[in-house]
């Protein structure tokens, strides 16, 4: 007897969202929602995606040497 997975893995979630996005029988709102979630997962919404640059992350822990410019 095959055991059923309780939690979906990344591939299953991506396949589901892709199928929702491509399903012309669903509402445009649902399809756009799936497209935005896929885009967020793929990092396509973080500003200018054409630049090819990785966004900088600044960690500030409150010490004097970490003053922000």
């Amino acid at each position: 007897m095959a055991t059923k997975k309780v939690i979906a893995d990344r591939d299953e979630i991506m396949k589901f969202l892709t199928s929702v996005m491509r399903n012309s029988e669903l509402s445009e709102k649902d399809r756009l929602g799936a497209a935005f979630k896929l885009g967020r997962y793929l990092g396509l919404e973080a500003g200018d995606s054409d630049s090819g640059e990785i966004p900088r992350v600044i960690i500030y822990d409150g010490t004097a040497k970490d003053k922000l410019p």
Side-chain angles (χ1 to χ4, degrees), residues 8 17 21-22 24 29-30 33 40 49 51-52 55 58 61 63 65 67-69:
L17 289 173
M21 183 185 74
R22 292 180 177 168
S24 61
K29 179 182 175 182
D30 291 337
R40 187 178 320 135
S49 62
S51 70
I58 299 172
D61 65 358
T63 62
K65 68 177 184 170
K67 294 288 184 194
L68 296 174

Side-chain angles (χ1 to χ4, degrees), residues 36-52:
F36 278 111
K37 288 175 183 170
L38 278 170
R40 187 178 320 135
Y41 177 77
L42 296 172
L44 300 176
E45 70 174 15
D48 183 14
S49 62
D50 293 336
S51 70

Side-chain angles (χ1 to χ4, degrees), residues 5 11 43 51 54 62-64 66 68:
K5 289 192 294 186
D11 273 354
S51 70
I54 298 173
T63 62
D66 288 336
L68 296 174

